[in-house]
């Protein structure tokens, strides 16, 4: 099994990507973010091996790795927001709590900003998943047309 490795450095920055391709039609993408590696796999179906390309495998594996990275980011953002929401709920139970105070409004704004960020990440995940499905469908459609032309 021959592996082709692209992007071998010892120092990685957020967003750095490395790809590994093998001759059996499998591509692995490792994406570095926040001190962690997120891995996406793409495997060519046996009936599509005549159409296999590193570029398609790299694209699919990178999208899958990016979805994992986005899910991690969403989970981290939720963890960061959790103490604020807990603090707000405990404050509301206090006898002298003033809902309209500057501090209470700032706290609500911070929570709102976290919720907005979570929603943006969720939308990005949905967009990536939709793009992945569309990309696979377009490739499949293209393969059908190419095979039809080859048979004629």
């Amino acid at each position: 099994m021959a592996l082709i490795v692209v992007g071998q450095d010892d120092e990685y920055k957020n967003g750095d990507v490395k790809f590994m391709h093998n001759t059996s039609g499998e591509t692995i993408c490792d994406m570095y973010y926040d001190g962690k590696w997120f891995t996406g796999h793409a495997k060519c179906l046996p009936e599509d091996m005549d159409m296999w390309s590193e570029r398609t495998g790299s694209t699919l594996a990178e999208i899958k790795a990016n979805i994992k990275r986005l899910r991690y980011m969403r989970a981290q953002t939720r963890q960061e927001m959790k103490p604020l929401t807990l603090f707000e709920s405990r404050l509301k139970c206090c006898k002298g709590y003033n809902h309209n105070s500057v501090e209470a409004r700032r706290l609500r704004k911070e929570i709102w900003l976290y919720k907005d960020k979570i929603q943006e990440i969720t939308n990005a995940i949905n967009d990536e998943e939709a793009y992945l499905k569309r990309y696979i469908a377009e490739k499949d459609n293209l393969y059908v047309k190419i095979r039809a032309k080859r048979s004629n």
Side-chain angles (χ1 to χ4, degrees), residues 141-152:
N141 196 16
L142 177 67
Y143 294 165
V144 168
K145 288 179 184 177
I146 291 172
R147 286 192 184 103
K149 282 193 175 200
R150 283 182 182 171
S151 65
N152 289 337

Side-chain angles (χ1 to χ4, degrees), residues 4-22:
I4 304 165
V5 180
V6 180
Q8 290 183 336
D9 279 346
D10 290 334
E11 286 194 30
Y12 295 102
K13 298 179 220 88
N14 283 345
D16 282 353
V17 177
K18 22 180 226 185
F19 295 98
M20 292 173 275
H21 309 281
N22 68 28

Side-chain angles (χ1 to χ4, degrees), residues 47-95:
E47 59 269 15
D48 291 336
M49 279 303 290
D50 60 329
M51 303 286 181
W52 179 81
S53 75
E54 288 179 6
R55 183 176 177 191
T56 300
S58 296
T59 301
L60 293 172
E62 187 173 5
I63 293 169
K64 290 177 181 184
N66 193 39
I67 290 171
K68 289 179 182 180
R69 180 187 63 87
L70 289 168
R71 287 184 177 148
Y72 168 79
M73 289 172 61
R74 183 174 59 187
Q76 290 299 106
T77 305
R78 284 181 177 150
Q79 285 298 105
E80 292 170 8
M81 183 181 76
K82 197 174 188 175
L84 293 177
T85 55
L86 182 62
F87 182 62
E88 182 189 34
S89 67
R90 289 185 178 166
L91 274 180
K92 287 179 180 178
C93 297
C94 293
K95 191 174 186 179

Side-chain angles (χ1 to χ4, degrees), residues 92-148:
K92 287 179 180 178
C93 297
C94 293
K95 191 174 186 179
Y97 175 69
N98 181 359
H99 182 75
N100 294 320
S101 70
V102 173
E103 294 81 11
R105 284 185 284 160
R106 283 185 186 159
L107 181 60
R108 284 195 308 275
K109 182 180 178 183
E110 283 298 314
I111 292 170
W112 179 82
L113 289 172
Y114 274 110
K115 286 181 179 180
D116 189 50
K117 185 175 179 182
I118 291 168
Q119 187 59 50
E120 286 178 13
I121 295 170
T122 300
N123 291 343
I125 292 169
N126 293 338
D127 291 347
E128 285 285 300
E129 289 173 342
Y131 177 73
L132 179 65
K133 288 177 185 175
R134 196 169 54 249
Y135 187 86
I136 291 171
E138 288 172 2
K139 283 291 183 179
D140 194 38
N141 196 16
L142 177 67
Y143 294 165
V144 168
K145 288 179 184 177
I146 291 172
R147 286 192 184 103

Side-chain angles (χ1 to χ4, degrees), residues 23-58:
T23 54
S24 66
E26 184 177 12
T27 302
I28 299 169
C29 172
D30 289 326
M31 182 178 289
Y32 186 80
Y33 179 80
D34 202 21
K36 298 184 183 324
W37 287 99
F38 299 92
T39 303
H41 296 270
K43 178 125 176 87
C44 186
L45 295 173
E47 59 269 15
D48 291 336
M49 279 303 290
D50 60 329
M51 303 286 181
W52 179 81
S53 75
E54 288 179 6
R55 183 176 177 191
T56 300
S58 296

